[in-house]
Amino acid sequence: MNSIISTPQPFPHNFYPTRLSPNRTMSFPSNVTSTRKRKADDDDLRSDDRMSASPSTSPAISSQSLPLQRAIKRARSGPAGRPLALPRLLETLDAESLRSVLRTICEHHPSIGTEVVNAAPRPSVTSALEVLKNYETSLQASFPFGGNSTSDYSYNRVRQPLVALLDALNDFTPHFLPPNEPQATQALSFLDGATEIIHRLPNWDSFQNSLHKQNAYEEISKAWALVLREAAKRAGGMQLQYGGWDQKLAKHNQQAQGRMQEAVSEMNSILGWMGGDRQLQQGGSRGHDISSVRQELLSGTFGAGLPVRVGPW
């Protein structure tokens, strides 16, 4: 009985289920996002493959070249002092400083001085007279205020600029004389301006101090005579009469108190060879003027009735 009455056994279906439930895969939201990310990554890879076809616009190449550019880029240095270049240095020099530098270089290197002389433009009458007037301005500025301007004291005060002016005059005058100056008009124009400067030189009380001005008149008178002789050889000296140089020279001689008589005598000889002297032309019954002389030359009646000079010219 004890064997029959025993502990009840559980139902067999609790140990061995006869019906199996179907397998179900659980889907979570994380799996969905992961698949979407993989698809996006695949799309990016495909776009990278397409963009790699143009290397100039490829982001991969630009990202690789950036470190190289940074490596090649030079480090900027701070400001450092340096001397001016020659063109800029010359711009800072005034005319007097530039002449001083050029004069010094030519003195140390004579060959450069020769090149400067050959390359420099020929001085004109205006530029030469302007230089002489600058010397004259320095002379006038050196006079003492008040007192006698023609005394020995004033002479000692202005002696240095006076000698500088006379030296410049002696240097410029030969440049405008023949044969260096072939144009008589240019030479006479310079002599006219230079003579005006000599007129304005002071008349000193002392005879010794006045020798500067007297010597200047003698030298300029000889220069006038030389130019007049050369001008008479060309076109019969017609430009001397038509240019009014005879009247200008007569005026200069009057201001110089007859110290330029040598030049006046040369002018009279040239005009006399052309058809009577100045006195005959001024006071004679014919009363020639420039227009009448020109008309007589054109008509072939110039010089009719005038005395003919016989003998050597």
Side-chain angles (χ1 to χ4, degrees):
M1 290 296 292
N2 294 334
S3 62
I4 296 173
I5 300 172
S6 62
T7 305
Q9 296 294 327
F11 294 100
H13 66 271
N14 293 332
F15 290 96
Y16 304 98
T18 57
R19 187 169 63 105
L20 298 176
S21 61
N23 294 330
R24 295 180 181 179
T25 58
M26 301 300 293
S27 61
F28 298 96
S30 60
N31 294 336
V32 176
T33 57
S34 63
T35 56
R36 290 179 181 176
K37 287 183 178 180
R38 284 194 297 269
K39 290 181 180 181
D41 293 340
D42 295 338
D43 295 337
D44 292 340
L45 292 175
R46 294 189 187 95
S47 62
D48 290 343
D49 294 339
R50 290 191 300 270
M51 294 176 65
S52 62
S54 58
S56 60
T57 58
S58 176
I61 295 178
S62 61
S63 62
Q64 292 179 1
S65 60
L66 183 59
L68 295 177
Q69 294 179 357
R70 291 179 179 177
I72 296 174
K73 186 177 181 181
R74 298 178 180 178
R76 294 183 178 179
S77 59
R82 65 178 185 274
L84 279 174
L86 180 59
R88 296 301 183 188
L89 179 61
L90 294 178
E91 289 178 355
T92 62
L93 300 179
D94 56 2
E96 184 62 28
S97 300
L98 188 59
R99 283 193 294 264
S100 178
V101 171
L102 185 59
R103 189 183 304 111
T104 303
I105 294 175
C106 294
E107 289 176 355
H108 291 111
H109 304 280
S111 60
I112 297 180
T114 304
E115 294 182 4
V116 172
V117 172
N118 296 331
R122 183 181 180 85
S124 63
V125 175
T126 304
S127 62
L129 293 177
E130 187 67 25
V131 173
L132 295 177
K133 289 179 181 179
N134 292 336
Y135 280 104
E136 184 183 9
T137 302
S138 300
L139 171 63
Q140 298 297 332
S142 300
F143 276 92
F145 293 100
N148 186 7
S149 60
T150 60
S151 62
D152 293 343
Y153 173 75
S154 299
Y155 171 80
N156 293 329
R157 289 287 301 270
V158 303
R159 184 179 184 277
Q160 183 176 358
L162 174 62
V163 173
L165 172 59
L166 295 175
D167 290 343
L169 184 61
N170 292 332
D171 292 337
F172 277 104
T173 301
H175 177 76
F176 292 96
L177 298 181
N180 190 63
E181 177 55 66
Q183 299 293 331
T185 304
Q186 295 294 321
L188 293 173
S189 298
F190 172 79
L191 294 178
D192 183 34
T195 307
E196 291 289 347
I197 294 176
I198 297 176
H199 292 327
R200 294 191 292 266
L201 291 177
N203 297 314
W204 305 105
D205 296 337
S206 173
F207 174 79
Q208 186 68 27
N209 298 337
S210 300
L211 289 178
H212 294 292
K213 189 172 184 178
Q214 293 181 10
N215 295 334
Y217 274 128
E218 292 178 3
E219 295 297 329
I220 205 68
S221 180
K222 294 178 181 178
W224 275 88
L226 175 60
V227 175
L228 293 175
R229 284 193 297 268
E230 293 297 326
K233 299 176 182 179
R234 302 178 181 180
M238 290 292 182
Q239 56 183 339
L240 299 178
Q241 188 176 17
Y242 292 148
W245 294 110
D246 53 344
Q247 300 176 5
K248 294 180 181 179
L249 182 57
K251 183 179 179 180
H252 285 316
N253 188 43
Q254 182 180 1
Q255 289 183 273
Q257 298 178 357
R259 296 187 181 96
M260 299 182 62
Q261 188 60 40
E262 180 180 356
V264 174
S265 300
E266 189 68 31
M267 177 68 78
N268 289 335
S269 64
I270 295 174
L271 295 180
W273 174 79
M274 291 176 57
D277 52 18
R278 283 284 304 172
Q279 297 177 357
L280 181 60
Q281 291 182 1
Q282 289 181 351
S285 59
R286 295 176 58 86
H288 292 303
D289 55 7
I290 296 177
S291 59
S292 62
V293 170
R294 181 181 179 184
Q295 293 178 359
E296 290 182 5
L297 287 172
L298 296 176
S299 61
T301 61
F302 178 75
L306 294 176
V308 178
R309 299 180 61 180
V310 180
W313 298 99

